[in-house]
Amino acid sequence: MTGSAPPKALSLQWKLPLLVGSLLLLLSGGAVVGAWAVVRQAVLAAARERLATVSAEFGNGLDAQVQGYLAAAEAAAAHPEVRRALEAGGEDALAPLADVLLGPRVIAAELLTHDGRVVWAGGGSRDAVRALEGQHLRDSSYGGPTRGVGRLLALGDTLTFPVVVVVRHGEERLGYLARWIAVPPDPRMPAAVSSLVGLGARVYIGSPGGAWSDQSAVTSPPPVAAESLGTMRIYDRPERGHQLAVGASVPGAPWMVVTEFPLATILAPASSFLRRAVLGMALLLVAGTLIGARATRRITSPLRHLTTAADRMAAGGHAVRVDVQGADELGRLGAAFNEMAQRVDVEILARETAEAQWRLLFRANPFPMWVFDETTLRFLAVNDAAVARYGWSQEEFLAMTIAEIRPSEDVARLVDAIVVRDAMAATVGEWQHCDRAGEVFMVEVTSTAVEFDAAAARLVMVHDVSARRALEQQLRQAQKMEAVGRLAGGVAHDFNNSLAVISACAELTVADLRSAGQTTEHLDEILRATGQARALTRQLLTFSRQQVTRPEVLDPTPVVEAVVRMVSRLVEEDVRIIARLEEHLGRVRIDPVQLEQVMLNLVVNARDAITTQGAITVATTVRDVDAAVASGQGLPGPGPYVVLSVSDNGTGIPPEILPRLFEPFFTTKPVGEGTGLGLATAYGIVSAAGGGITVYSEVGVGSTFRVYLPLILDASAPRATPPHSTPLPRSAGGEVVLLVEDDVAVRTVTAAVLERLGYVVLAAEAPDAALALVADPDTVVHLVLSDVVMPGMSGPALVQRLRAARPELRTILMSGYAGDAVASRGVEASGLPFLEKPFTLAALAAALRAELDAPGAPTRSD
């Protein structure tokens, strides 16, 4: 079956003359249109100027008439009898003056008092006029200027308008005289206007919102807003066609004069010019086309020969050449064609060489690459790297589609992506691929459209990004934990302030009730709950690494033994606690309170994992870890470690949960039974101590958690000193404490505690108030108890300024913040005593006595 022949194209020997004719048509047509536009604009400008002059002259003439009507009305209003009658009131007194009040062209008149009351009305049309305007005219015309003219109104075929003047007696305004003047129609006016302006012209007078007339009869107003007729407007009147209109305001009245002129009459000269120009353009076009046809014949003949040679070359005859005649443009074009034909032979050879090189680069590329068919999705070519990575041979690949190297759940997504993809655009995306063994791995795929064996295809390059994705997941996890840590620090500060108030108030109330011999059972519960909340706050701060830690070099065995004793008293009888603790374990550097918290969390979790009967084994040992084990267990590095392990034979941990064990707020316990902070806090404590935590678990068998802490080998490292108990001392009497705290509740309850301990308290809500108290030389202050974070000035900065005035002043700082929030304000650098909120009554009393009784402290006589 053969296809139909393409339609024969128009020959160049016809195209060139037509092109010349088209250019002539374009140029001449543009010139004619431009000239006609200029002529039309000039005609319209002249007409606008003429109509504006006529409108202005008519307006000035009307203004002169209006001024005459106003002068006549003022003369009538100045008549002595009118003033006397208006003063006396009553229509009988004005009856003899009707001739004076009415006058020529006055169809109605009214005399009103200054408050608008009509005392006399006359004229044959007064009822008709009153129906036209009524009270509205009097309200809008009276009471303002000394005289005025109203808008034009239609009274049958006659226009009328009001003239209002003020009747005065000296400076006193007695009332108003209102006259309605008739403007009778004049049938001769249209003819007079046409003779003055031009055939068909009309002059209209009227008021915006009032009546209009062409001076021969009342007519409809202009079809556009009268206020817009100050400039030239073109609009359509149904009875007269398109009109060019220009208006002018009458200076002394709210009237307008609008002069209209038929648009067709104005544009008649421009239309005549256009007809003549079009005829000339047609003659020029015909002549130019004939001349162009004759002139282009010498060009088209050589071009036909060149076209024939090009067709033969396109059919595969690369040896075809043309005869070159002359050195003009056509001769140079023939020579260029011959040179091009020679280059085609060279380019064909070069392309074949390039294709061979491309295939070599494709096959030797270190990244997996292939070409697949856009329609069938079948592999068309595969390089050696793809064969090595995926495991299929070249022949096996070419018998497959790209859907077969993807997991079954990704095939639908692949089909959707191919449907919506722009076939010509380069794409980059991430996919899951699988090899011959079934292993699924993440790849980054870059593809672009190519033509392969005359078919639409895509070239694909694959980059295995599985390792990179694992590193990115670790980074996201670290960032998430850092963000949650910052949140925990902020929450802990506000919580600590609230706990400080609750704890202090409860302790004071317990002391009062016990001294009175009353029970304190409920308050004891409050204090126990406060202690639990304080422990939760410490967990939050420890997790966020914002807790102020006091690491010590210690033997962990006593801490582990204390945890075992504590838990042994708490667990049920059917759960056994087994301790396997080695002697001479060695020393580690860690906060003992935090180490106790880590071990307690692990033992409590082990107890919760045992549903019926079971055993918890707590063991300690020393292990030398090599580099391979350290890397596999996620430890900081090789070396000797103290290993603390907690094992249970409980339910075990499912494999899918193991990766999330140390995530903050992740818990498998029911709502209300776990916060999800225990293991996350333990992880943060051990990591901060330079160690690590590992976990091994089997479902139904049990779990083992191991804590690795670096062994301290330096014999000169300072050892921890055993804690000593401090009694709850009171003030010896007369000692003054300056309390600086911006939180009202904390300040109030702390002041009450200090007074209960026997101290004299000066409370300041801000650093400025504290500075003002100390500035007074008569104010005695022995110690300053200041918050760290306050508006305007930090606690250490306040202490520095106070000691500038009183170097002997003793100081204790306190804060609900910890970590960076405290360190950034110079607490640690200052070396000043520091209390964490919430603090107990005993801790506050001990800190006060320790600072006041230290060497160099001021005495009460100070």
mmCIF file of all heavy atoms in Angstrom, residues 317-356:
data_model
loop_
_atom_site.group_PDB
_atom_site.id
_atom_site.type_symbol
_atom_site.label_atom_id
_atom_site.label_comp_id
_atom_site.label_asym_id
_atom_site.label_seq_id
_atom_site.Cartn_x
_atom_site.Cartn_y
_atom_site.Cartn_z
ATOM 1 N N GLY A 317 21.730 10.558 -3.336
ATOM 2 C CA GLY A 317 22.774 10.813 -4.332
ATOM 3 C C GLY A 317 23.751 11.852 -3.841
ATOM 4 O O GLY A 317 23.670 13.031 -4.234
ATOM 5 N N HIS A 318 24.685 11.466 -2.960
ATOM 6 C CA HIS A 318 25.617 12.433 -2.362
ATOM 7 C C HIS A 318 26.642 12.958 -3.364
ATOM 8 O O HIS A 318 27.330 13.937 -3.077
ATOM 9 C CB HIS A 318 26.346 11.767 -1.185
ATOM 10 C CG HIS A 318 25.398 11.318 -0.095
ATOM 11 N ND1 HIS A 318 25.679 10.283 0.755
ATOM 12 C CD2 HIS A 318 24.159 11.765 0.243
ATOM 13 C CE1 HIS A 318 24.659 10.108 1.585
ATOM 14 N NE2 HIS A 318 23.725 10.998 1.282
ATOM 15 N N ALA A 319 26.765 12.315 -4.544
ATOM 16 C CA ALA A 319 27.758 12.763 -5.521
ATOM 17 C C ALA A 319 27.232 13.853 -6.447
ATOM 18 O O ALA A 319 27.963 14.325 -7.320
ATOM 19 C CB ALA A 319 28.237 11.570 -6.354
ATOM 20 N N VAL A 320 25.983 14.273 -6.310
ATOM 21 C CA VAL A 320 25.403 15.275 -7.200
ATOM 22 C C VAL A 320 26.056 16.633 -6.971
ATOM 23 O O VAL A 320 26.403 16.988 -5.851
ATOM 24 C CB VAL A 320 23.877 15.348 -6.980
ATOM 25 C CG1 VAL A 320 23.550 15.868 -5.600
ATOM 26 C CG2 VAL A 320 23.224 16.233 -8.034
ATOM 27 N N ARG A 321 26.253 17.386 -8.080
ATOM 28 C CA ARG A 321 26.809 18.744 -8.020
ATOM 29 C C ARG A 321 26.044 19.624 -8.995
ATOM 30 O O ARG A 321 25.351 19.135 -9.894
ATOM 31 C CB ARG A 321 28.309 18.755 -8.365
ATOM 32 C CG ARG A 321 29.176 17.881 -7.450
ATOM 33 C CD ARG A 321 29.258 18.441 -6.037
ATOM 34 N NE ARG A 321 30.189 17.678 -5.201
ATOM 35 C CZ ARG A 321 29.848 16.632 -4.474
ATOM 36 N NH1 ARG A 321 28.591 16.191 -4.463
ATOM 37 N NH2 ARG A 321 30.747 15.992 -3.756
ATOM 38 N N VAL A 322 26.163 20.944 -8.860
ATOM 39 C CA VAL A 322 25.499 21.891 -9.759
ATOM 40 C C VAL A 322 26.556 22.711 -10.486
ATOM 41 O O VAL A 322 27.689 22.875 -9.986
ATOM 42 C CB VAL A 322 24.542 22.823 -8.983
ATOM 43 C CG1 VAL A 322 23.416 22.023 -8.339
ATOM 44 C CG2 VAL A 322 25.284 23.638 -7.942
ATOM 45 N N ASP A 323 26.174 23.235 -11.670
ATOM 46 C CA ASP A 323 27.063 24.116 -12.420
ATOM 47 C C ASP A 323 27.001 25.509 -11.816
ATOM 48 O O ASP A 323 25.912 26.070 -11.603
ATOM 49 C CB ASP A 323 26.647 24.160 -13.891
ATOM 50 C CG ASP A 323 26.841 22.816 -14.577
ATOM 51 O OD1 ASP A 323 27.720 22.060 -14.115
ATOM 52 O OD2 ASP A 323 26.082 22.516 -15.517
ATOM 53 N N VAL A 324 28.156 26.074 -11.596
ATOM 54 C CA VAL A 324 28.248 27.416 -11.012
ATOM 55 C C VAL A 324 28.436 28.407 -12.142
ATOM 56 O O VAL A 324 29.390 28.314 -12.921
ATOM 57 C CB VAL A 324 29.418 27.512 -10.016
ATOM 58 C CG1 VAL A 324 29.528 28.924 -9.452
ATOM 59 C CG2 VAL A 324 29.229 26.508 -8.885
ATOM 60 N N GLN A 325 27.501 29.365 -12.275
ATOM 61 C CA GLN A 325 27.559 30.378 -13.327
ATOM 62 C C GLN A 325 27.560 31.755 -12.669
ATOM 63 O O GLN A 325 26.595 32.129 -12.006
ATOM 64 C CB GLN A 325 26.362 30.251 -14.281
ATOM 65 C CG GLN A 325 26.318 28.927 -15.028
ATOM 66 C CD GLN A 325 25.084 28.814 -15.912
ATOM 67 O OE1 GLN A 325 24.227 29.687 -15.903
ATOM 68 N NE2 GLN A 325 25.010 27.729 -16.692
ATOM 69 N N GLY A 326 28.641 32.481 -12.878
ATOM 70 C CA GLY A 326 28.739 33.831 -12.341
ATOM 71 C C GLY A 326 29.237 33.846 -10.903
ATOM 72 O O GLY A 326 29.345 32.817 -10.216
ATOM 73 N N ALA A 327 29.547 35.089 -10.460
ATOM 74 C CA ALA A 327 30.071 35.266 -9.099
ATOM 75 C C ALA A 327 29.099 36.024 -8.204
ATOM 76 O O ALA A 327 29.471 36.515 -7.147
ATOM 77 C CB ALA A 327 31.403 36.020 -9.163
ATOM 78 N N ASP A 328 27.834 36.145 -8.657
ATOM 79 C CA ASP A 328 26.860 36.847 -7.815
ATOM 80 C C ASP A 328 26.383 35.902 -6.704
ATOM 81 O O ASP A 328 26.939 34.827 -6.489
ATOM 82 C CB ASP A 328 25.701 37.347 -8.663
ATOM 83 C CG ASP A 328 25.008 36.212 -9.417
ATOM 84 O OD1 ASP A 328 25.435 35.054 -9.237
ATOM 85 O OD2 ASP A 328 24.053 36.485 -10.167
ATOM 86 N N GLU A 329 25.318 36.357 -6.011
ATOM 87 C CA GLU A 329 24.839 35.581 -4.871
ATOM 88 C C GLU A 329 24.408 34.187 -5.281
ATOM 89 O O GLU A 329 24.662 33.202 -4.574
ATOM 90 C CB GLU A 329 23.658 36.305 -4.179
ATOM 91 C CG GLU A 329 24.037 37.546 -3.403
ATOM 92 C CD GLU A 329 24.226 38.755 -4.319
ATOM 93 O OE1 GLU A 329 24.088 38.585 -5.552
ATOM 94 O OE2 GLU A 329 24.522 39.848 -3.803
ATOM 95 N N LEU A 330 23.747 34.047 -6.449
ATOM 96 C CA LEU A 330 23.311 32.724 -6.882
ATOM 97 C C LEU A 330 24.498 31.839 -7.227
ATOM 98 O O LEU A 330 24.489 30.631 -6.958
ATOM 99 C CB LEU A 330 22.386 32.861 -8.100
ATOM 100 C CG LEU A 330 21.011 33.476 -7.797
ATOM 101 C CD1 LEU A 330 20.226 33.665 -9.092
ATOM 102 C CD2 LEU A 330 20.225 32.599 -6.841
ATOM 103 N N GLY A 331 25.544 32.447 -7.823
ATOM 104 C CA GLY A 331 26.741 31.669 -8.114
ATOM 105 C C GLY A 331 27.411 31.197 -6.834
ATOM 106 O O GLY A 331 27.849 30.042 -6.731
ATOM 107 N N ARG A 332 27.496 32.101 -5.821
ATOM 108 C CA ARG A 332 28.101 31.702 -4.551
ATOM 109 C C ARG A 332 27.247 30.656 -3.834
ATOM 110 O O ARG A 332 27.773 29.764 -3.165
ATOM 111 C CB ARG A 332 28.284 32.926 -3.650
ATOM 112 C CG ARG A 332 29.337 33.905 -4.190
ATOM 113 C CD ARG A 332 29.815 34.849 -3.113
ATOM 114 N NE ARG A 332 28.748 35.712 -2.627
ATOM 115 C CZ ARG A 332 28.420 36.879 -3.163
ATOM 116 N NH1 ARG A 332 29.086 37.323 -4.236
ATOM 117 N NH2 ARG A 332 27.442 37.606 -2.670
ATOM 118 N N LEU A 333 25.906 30.733 -4.029
ATOM 119 C CA LEU A 333 25.039 29.729 -3.437
ATOM 120 C C LEU A 333 25.277 28.356 -4.060
ATOM 121 O O LEU A 333 25.316 27.335 -3.366
ATOM 122 C CB LEU A 333 23.577 30.137 -3.617
ATOM 123 C CG LEU A 333 22.521 29.220 -2.994
ATOM 124 C CD1 LEU A 333 22.733 29.119 -1.493
ATOM 125 C CD2 LEU A 333 21.120 29.731 -3.303
ATOM 126 N N GLY A 334 25.485 28.320 -5.376
ATOM 127 C CA GLY A 334 25.793 27.046 -6.042
ATOM 128 C C GLY A 334 27.122 26.476 -5.551
ATOM 129 O O GLY A 334 27.246 25.275 -5.310
ATOM 130 N N ALA A 335 28.137 27.354 -5.410
ATOM 131 C CA ALA A 335 29.426 26.881 -4.908
ATOM 132 C C ALA A 335 29.299 26.372 -3.475
ATOM 133 O O ALA A 335 29.904 25.361 -3.095
ATOM 134 C CB ALA A 335 30.450 28.025 -4.977
ATOM 135 N N ALA A 336 28.474 27.062 -2.668
ATOM 136 C CA ALA A 336 28.262 26.611 -1.291
ATOM 137 C C ALA A 336 27.559 25.253 -1.268
ATOM 138 O O ALA A 336 27.847 24.409 -0.409
ATOM 139 C CB ALA A 336 27.439 27.653 -0.519
ATOM 140 N N PHE A 337 26.634 25.050 -2.204
ATOM 141 C CA PHE A 337 25.954 23.749 -2.256
ATOM 142 C C PHE A 337 26.947 22.639 -2.560
ATOM 143 O O PHE A 337 26.903 21.567 -1.939
ATOM 144 C CB PHE A 337 24.849 23.786 -3.321
ATOM 145 C CG PHE A 337 24.162 22.469 -3.519
ATOM 146 C CD1 PHE A 337 23.135 22.067 -2.700
ATOM 147 C CD2 PHE A 337 24.567 21.612 -4.537
ATOM 148 C CE1 PHE A 337 22.508 20.843 -2.879
ATOM 149 C CE2 PHE A 337 23.957 20.389 -4.725
ATOM 150 C CZ PHE A 337 22.914 20.006 -3.889
ATOM 151 N N ASN A 338 27.832 22.877 -3.514
ATOM 152 C CA ASN A 338 28.824 21.844 -3.852
ATOM 153 C C ASN A 338 29.731 21.552 -2.651
ATOM 154 O O ASN A 338 30.085 20.404 -2.387
ATOM 155 C CB ASN A 338 29.652 22.297 -5.053
ATOM 156 C CG ASN A 338 28.826 22.339 -6.332
ATOM 157 O OD1 ASN A 338 27.805 21.663 -6.447
ATOM 158 N ND2 ASN A 338 29.263 23.154 -7.301
ATOM 159 N N GLU A 339 30.114 22.629 -1.930
ATOM 160 C CA GLU A 339 30.958 22.420 -0.753
ATOM 161 C C GLU A 339 30.206 21.666 0.341
ATOM 162 O O GLU A 339 30.758 20.802 1.016
ATOM 163 C CB GLU A 339 31.426 23.776 -0.221
ATOM 164 C CG GLU A 339 32.399 23.667 0.951
ATOM 165 C CD GLU A 339 32.873 25.028 1.432
ATOM 166 O OE1 GLU A 339 32.555 26.044 0.777
ATOM 167 O OE2 GLU A 339 33.566 25.075 2.474
ATOM 168 N N MET A 340 28.926 21.987 0.479
ATOM 169 C CA MET A 340 28.113 21.287 1.475
ATOM 170 C C MET A 340 27.997 19.803 1.140
ATOM 171 O O MET A 340 28.053 18.946 2.022
ATOM 172 C CB MET A 340 26.719 21.918 1.531
ATOM 173 C CG MET A 340 25.781 21.262 2.537
ATOM 174 S SD MET A 340 24.094 21.876 2.398
ATOM 175 C CE MET A 340 23.671 21.265 0.760
ATOM 176 N N ALA A 341 27.827 19.501 -0.139
ATOM 177 C CA ALA A 341 27.730 18.099 -0.534
ATOM 178 C C ALA A 341 29.011 17.353 -0.179
ATOM 179 O O ALA A 341 28.970 16.195 0.259
ATOM 180 C CB ALA A 341 27.442 18.015 -2.030
ATOM 181 N N GLN A 342 30.155 18.037 -0.381
ATOM 182 C CA GLN A 342 31.418 17.400 -0.016
ATOM 183 C C GLN A 342 31.479 17.151 1.498
ATOM 184 O O GLN A 342 31.933 16.098 1.954
ATOM 185 C CB GLN A 342 32.581 18.315 -0.460
ATOM 186 C CG GLN A 342 33.963 17.763 -0.145
ATOM 187 C CD GLN A 342 34.264 16.476 -0.902
ATOM 188 O OE1 GLN A 342 33.769 16.273 -2.018
ATOM 189 N NE2 GLN A 342 35.073 15.605 -0.309
ATOM 190 N N ARG A 343 30.997 18.125 2.279
ATOM 191 C CA ARG A 343 31.038 17.972 3.743
ATOM 192 C C ARG A 343 30.083 16.885 4.220
ATOM 193 O O ARG A 343 30.335 16.247 5.249
ATOM 194 C CB ARG A 343 30.693 19.293 4.411
ATOM 195 C CG ARG A 343 31.774 20.351 4.255
ATOM 196 C CD ARG A 343 31.403 21.617 4.995
ATOM 197 N NE ARG A 343 32.460 22.619 4.893
ATOM 198 C CZ ARG A 343 32.373 23.845 5.397
ATOM 199 N NH1 ARG A 343 31.251 24.209 6.037
ATOM 200 N NH2 ARG A 343 33.359 24.698 5.272
ATOM 201 N N VAL A 344 28.979 16.697 3.490
ATOM 202 C CA VAL A 344 28.034 15.650 3.880
ATOM 203 C C VAL A 344 28.719 14.290 3.861
ATOM 204 O O VAL A 344 28.539 13.473 4.768
ATOM 205 C CB VAL A 344 26.798 15.673 2.974
ATOM 206 C CG1 VAL A 344 25.972 14.402 3.161
ATOM 207 C CG2 VAL A 344 25.945 16.888 3.272
ATOM 208 N N ASP A 345 29.523 14.086 2.829
ATOM 209 C CA ASP A 345 30.246 12.813 2.769
ATOM 210 C C ASP A 345 31.151 12.653 3.984
ATOM 211 O O ASP A 345 31.246 11.581 4.590
ATOM 212 C CB ASP A 345 31.075 12.751 1.470
ATOM 213 C CG ASP A 345 30.180 12.630 0.243
ATOM 214 O OD1 ASP A 345 29.049 12.136 0.412
ATOM 215 O OD2 ASP A 345 30.596 13.039 -0.845
ATOM 216 N N VAL A 346 31.842 13.756 4.343
ATOM 217 C CA VAL A 346 32.744 13.695 5.499
ATOM 218 C C VAL A 346 31.953 13.500 6.800
ATOM 219 O O VAL A 346 32.358 12.722 7.677
ATOM 220 C CB VAL A 346 33.605 14.975 5.561
ATOM 221 C CG1 VAL A 346 34.474 14.966 6.809
ATOM 222 C CG2 VAL A 346 34.451 15.114 4.300
ATOM 223 N N GLU A 347 30.805 14.199 6.935
ATOM 224 C CA GLU A 347 30.018 14.115 8.162
ATOM 225 C C GLU A 347 29.437 12.723 8.366
ATOM 226 O O GLU A 347 29.338 12.240 9.500
ATOM 227 C CB GLU A 347 28.869 15.144 8.137
ATOM 228 C CG GLU A 347 29.326 16.588 8.251
ATOM 229 C CD GLU A 347 29.904 16.887 9.628
ATOM 230 O OE1 GLU A 347 29.592 16.153 10.590
ATOM 231 O OE2 GLU A 347 30.691 17.837 9.739
ATOM 232 N N ILE A 348 29.049 12.071 7.291
ATOM 233 C CA ILE A 348 28.501 10.721 7.422
ATOM 234 C C ILE A 348 29.552 9.786 8.016
ATOM 235 O O ILE A 348 29.275 8.995 8.928
ATOM 236 C CB ILE A 348 28.003 10.208 6.063
ATOM 237 C CG1 ILE A 348 26.755 10.989 5.639
ATOM 238 C CG2 ILE A 348 27.704 8.720 6.115
ATOM 239 C CD1 ILE A 348 26.260 10.630 4.258
ATOM 240 N N LEU A 349 30.776 9.914 7.507
ATOM 241 C CA LEU A 349 31.849 9.092 8.052
ATOM 242 C C LEU A 349 32.127 9.435 9.511
ATOM 243 O O LEU A 349 32.319 8.547 10.353
ATOM 244 C CB LEU A 349 33.120 9.288 7.214
ATOM 245 C CG LEU A 349 34.355 8.500 7.683
ATOM 246 C CD1 LEU A 349 34.082 6.994 7.641
ATOM 247 C CD2 LEU A 349 35.570 8.860 6.815
ATOM 248 N N ALA A 350 32.107 10.738 9.850
ATOM 249 C CA ALA A 350 32.365 11.151 11.234
ATOM 250 C C ALA A 350 31.252 10.680 12.169
ATOM 251 O O ALA A 350 31.507 10.283 13.313
ATOM 252 C CB ALA A 350 32.495 12.676 11.314
ATOM 253 N N ARG A 351 30.004 10.714 11.688
ATOM 254 C CA ARG A 351 28.893 10.256 12.532
ATOM 255 C C ARG A 351 29.004 8.773 12.840
ATOM 256 O O ARG A 351 28.743 8.351 13.969
ATOM 257 C CB ARG A 351 27.566 10.548 11.842
ATOM 258 C CG ARG A 351 26.359 10.221 12.706
ATOM 259 C CD ARG A 351 25.081 10.564 12.019
ATOM 260 N NE ARG A 351 24.914 9.747 10.819
ATOM 261 C CZ ARG A 351 23.882 9.864 9.975
ATOM 262 N NH1 ARG A 351 22.960 10.790 10.198
ATOM 263 N NH2 ARG A 351 23.782 9.094 8.908
ATOM 264 N N GLU A 352 29.371 8.006 11.847
ATOM 265 C CA GLU A 352 29.540 6.581 12.089
ATOM 266 C C GLU A 352 30.636 6.333 13.119
ATOM 267 O O GLU A 352 30.509 5.478 14.001
ATOM 268 C CB GLU A 352 29.854 5.876 10.775
ATOM 269 C CG GLU A 352 28.690 5.894 9.791
ATOM 270 C CD GLU A 352 29.083 5.321 8.435
ATOM 271 O OE1 GLU A 352 30.299 5.082 8.228
ATOM 272 O OE2 GLU A 352 28.187 5.123 7.584
ATOM 273 N N THR A 353 31.717 7.128 13.042
ATOM 274 C CA THR A 353 32.794 6.995 14.030
ATOM 275 C C THR A 353 32.319 7.411 15.421
ATOM 276 O O THR A 353 32.629 6.760 16.432
ATOM 277 C CB THR A 353 33.996 7.848 13.603
ATOM 278 O OG1 THR A 353 34.421 7.460 12.282
ATOM 279 C CG2 THR A 353 35.152 7.675 14.563
ATOM 280 N N ALA A 354 31.537 8.517 15.508
ATOM 281 C CA ALA A 354 31.041 9.010 16.803
ATOM 282 C C ALA A 354 30.089 8.012 17.442
ATOM 283 O O ALA A 354 30.096 7.815 18.670
ATOM 284 C CB ALA A 354 30.342 10.358 16.623
ATOM 285 N N GLU A 355 29.243 7.389 16.613
ATOM 286 C CA GLU A 355 28.331 6.400 17.170
ATOM 287 C C GLU A 355 29.099 5.231 17.779
ATOM 288 O O GLU A 355 28.718 4.702 18.834
ATOM 289 C CB GLU A 355 27.385 5.903 16.085
ATOM 290 C CG GLU A 355 26.335 6.943 15.677
ATOM 291 C CD GLU A 355 25.424 6.421 14.583
ATOM 292 O OE1 GLU A 355 25.676 5.298 14.087
ATOM 293 O OE2 GLU A 355 24.473 7.137 14.224
ATOM 294 N N ALA A 356 30.176 4.835 17.132
ATOM 295 C CA ALA A 356 30.989 3.756 17.697
ATOM 296 C C ALA A 356 31.607 4.184 19.028
ATOM 297 O O ALA A 356 31.657 3.412 19.998
ATOM 298 C CB ALA A 356 32.077 3.365 16.699
#
